[in-house]
Amino acid sequence: MSLWRGKLGVYSVLILLLLIFYLQIFVEIPSIRFVQQVFKVVVLALMSFSFVRNFELIRKNHLMILLILFSMLFVLSSLFSEYFKLVAATLLVLFSGVYFYIETYKNRITDKTVSFFFMLYFIISIYKLFISLKSDIGMYGTLEGLGGDNLGYTLLLMFPMCLLYSRKVSLGMALVILVSVLICRKRGAIISMVFPAIMYFIYYFRSFKRGFVSVFFSLILIFCISFFLFYFISSYSTVILSRFESLGEGGSGRDLLYGLIWENWSNSLNILNLLFGYGFYSTMTLTENALGYARYAHSDILEILYDFGLIGFLLYMGFLGLLCYWVKRLRKYDTKLYYMLLSTVLIFIPKALFSGIFFDVEALILMVIIGYCIGKYKQMKYCHES
């Protein structure tokens, strides 16, 4: 049993997370989907074991307490929902933040470990993108058929972790991610990419030693990157911008979806529904009855407001407030961790508003980064004080 308390348990969780992510490629195959679900349950069990063993660390961190409270809220509410089986994905997202916080603080997840984990995640993401591009080009003959591919978000979510690597590797990964997001033409991902990209390049060029050679090299690099991005965007401007042109035609239909959910919640005559919501994934029942097909809100704010009412909404606002607090705290302590967490929050907020974090299993990567940054800060501070 002691083996599972140490690095063997950590490595098992990391390997299973990568397998869950990889198996998304074959999620339409029932047997593969079943295996993926089994992996999720095993990971949740291993993470829960870590939580019990290290509850004192959770108790001392308000952000982690909120993640545990949300987890309990989701589990209890899902017991009375027809969508109970979907709770595993949501728990995996929430648990990942707490788990990486604990294991990084305990130094069982080191910089080397997390770098290797994200490199494998990056490789799998590129492979999934290759399969998607190959399929679309085979079907349509050009990139014109590729629009709104969620892989744009998948790659963007790990963008802050580019700062973990050496300058050359970091820059190469960053450029691949930026170009991939543009190719995928996911509007939300493209918009979410802007400020994190600016933060990345500010940190990247500030990290150079000041001197004539460094300044000259920086200017050459800026020129090459600018020319490359200009050439790429110019060559595929029609393909990329076509996704934004469809906004006036209703685009993804989020205006209808958001309006339906808001009106049904705000017009409720039952004070209990306003305060506590309608229950786990109740938006799926609402949309199925109103639109003929089940869809969740594609927005954490609206999903939580409808499912868990004002109580859930206030808890979520508290979570966002604590995230901003940690960004401010890291700014005074460690520059790299600060830029990593700031970029994560700049991706988190627009995705939470217009796509969703808590209800998207692949968004667990953002929670991993949050847990890692805060755990690393705590670990470094503990070592310094010792």
Side-chain angles (χ1 to χ4, degrees):
M1 184 64 72
S2 60
L3 287 174
W4 294 104
R5 299 174 188 172
K7 289 197 172 182
L8 178 60
V10 170
Y11 293 153
S12 299
V13 168
L14 297 184
I15 291 170
L16 287 171
L17 285 177
L18 289 171
L19 285 172
I20 290 168
F21 177 59
Y22 175 73
L23 290 176
Q24 281 291 109
I25 301 173
F26 313 103
V27 74
E28 298 300 324
I29 303 173
S31 59
I32 298 297
R33 187 164 60 248
F34 173 77
V35 171
Q36 189 190 48
Q37 288 295 109
V38 171
F39 286 167
K40 288 178 184 177
V41 172
V42 174
V43 170
L44 290 173
L46 291 173
M47 288 182 172
S48 298
F49 180 73
S50 175
F51 298 169
V52 173
R53 295 274 309 168
N54 300 279
F55 181 73
E56 191 64 21
L57 293 180
I58 298 173
R59 191 179 64 82
K60 293 178 179 179
N61 190 297
H62 293 155
L63 187 69
M64 301 304 146
I65 290 174
L66 268 182
L67 288 177
I68 294 298
L69 283 176
F70 265 118
S71 300
M72 294 170 63
L73 190 63
F74 287 134
V75 169
L76 292 174
S77 182
S78 68
L79 294 175
F80 307 96
S81 171
E82 61 181 301
Y83 298 102
F84 171 76
K85 62 181 180 181
L86 298 178
V87 75
T90 300
L91 288 179
L92 200 58
V93 174
L94 299 174
F95 276 26
S96 294
V98 182
Y99 183 79
F100 270 74
Y101 161 72
I102 291 171
E103 299 303 334
T104 302
Y105 179 75
K106 302 289 282 188
N107 203 34
R108 287 192 283 262
I109 292 180
T110 61
D111 291 348
K112 187 176 180 180
T113 303
V114 83
S115 297
F116 188 64
F117 171 79
F118 273 99
M119 183 57 71
L120 291 176
Y121 173 88
F122 177 74
I123 293 169
I124 294 172
S125 299
I126 294 300
Y127 175 66
K128 290 170 72 173
L129 178 62
F130 170 76
I131 292 175
S132 181
L133 287 173
K134 185 178 178 181
S135 173
D136 282 293
I137 292 174
M139 185 178 297
Y140 299 101
T142 66
L143 286 177
E144 296 288 342
L146 186 65
D149 196 318
N150 282 323
L151 285 170
Y153 265 129
T154 300
L155 280 158
L156 178 64
L157 296 180
M158 74 153 291
F159 185 76
M161 297 306 283
C162 292
L163 295 174
L164 274 179
Y165 302 91
S166 63
R167 282 201 189 99
K168 291 180 180 179
V169 175
S170 173
L171 183 61
M173 291 175 68
L175 290 177
V176 169
I177 290 173
L178 294 178
V179 171
S180 298
V181 171
L182 291 173
I183 289 176
C184 290
R185 298 163 63 202
K186 188 73 176 176
R187 289 181 302 231
I190 293 174
I191 293 169
S192 301
M193 175 180 72
V194 176
F195 288 111
I198 293 171
M199 292 297 103
Y200 170 81
F201 286 112
I202 288 174
Y203 176 84
Y204 184 84
F205 289 112
R206 281 184 63 184
S207 66
F208 281 101
K209 294 180 180 179
R210 296 186 179 182
F212 176 77
V213 176
S214 296
V215 171
F216 178 75
F217 178 73
S218 298
L219 291 173
I220 293 295
L221 195 56
I222 290 172
F223 173 78
C224 292
I225 293 171
S226 301
F227 178 79
F228 170 76
L229 290 175
F230 175 77
Y231 173 79
F232 178 83
I233 293 172
S234 298
S235 300
Y236 293 97
S237 59
T238 304
V239 176
I240 295 168
L241 293 176
S242 64
R243 282 289 293 166
F244 290 89
E245 291 170 358
S246 65
L247 280 171
E249 303 165 8
S252 61
R254 276 175 171 72
D255 52 348
L256 176 64
L257 181 64
Y258 292 168
L260 174 68
I261 293 170
W262 170 254
E263 286 178 13
N264 273 268
W265 177 80
S266 61
N267 292 333
S268 175
L269 299 177
N270 189 328
I271 189 65
L272 293 178
N273 290 143
L274 290 172
L275 288 176
F276 303 106
Y278 291 85
F280 183 71
Y281 264 128
S282 53
T283 54
M284 302 273 273
T285 303
L286 171 68
T287 52
E288 186 171 23
N289 293 334
L291 305 175
Y293 52 87
R295 288 187 70 181
Y296 75 99
H298 285 81
S299 167
D300 278 357
I301 302 296
L302 281 174
E303 186 71 47
I304 287 174
L305 187 64
Y306 193 82
D307 290 358
F308 304 107
L310 281 174
I311 301 300
F313 175 78
L314 290 175
L315 286 174
Y316 194 81
M317 289 298 102
F319 174 78
L320 292 180
L322 284 171
L323 270 184
C324 294
Y325 161 79
W326 276 105
V327 171
K328 183 178 180 181
R329 191 165 180 177
L330 289 183
R331 183 180 184 182
K332 301 176 181 178
Y333 193 83
D334 186 272
T335 304
K336 182 182 286 188
L337 287 177
Y338 163 68
Y339 274 97
M340 284 170 59
L341 189 58
L342 176 60
S343 297
T344 301
V345 172
L346 289 173
I347 294 170
F348 188 104
I349 292 175
K351 180 165 173 36
L353 287 173
F354 304 113
S355 179
I357 298 289
F358 284 8
F359 303 89
D360 178 8
V361 69
E362 293 194 358
L364 68 85
I365 290 300
L366 279 184
M367 302 304 293
V368 163
I369 300 173
I370 291 168
Y372 168 77
C373 288
I374 297 174
K376 188 66 179 177
Y377 162 80
K378 287 284 192 179
Q379 181 210 58
M380 291 166 65
K381 187 178 179 183
Y382 175 78
C383 292
H384 179 72
E385 291 175 351
S386 299

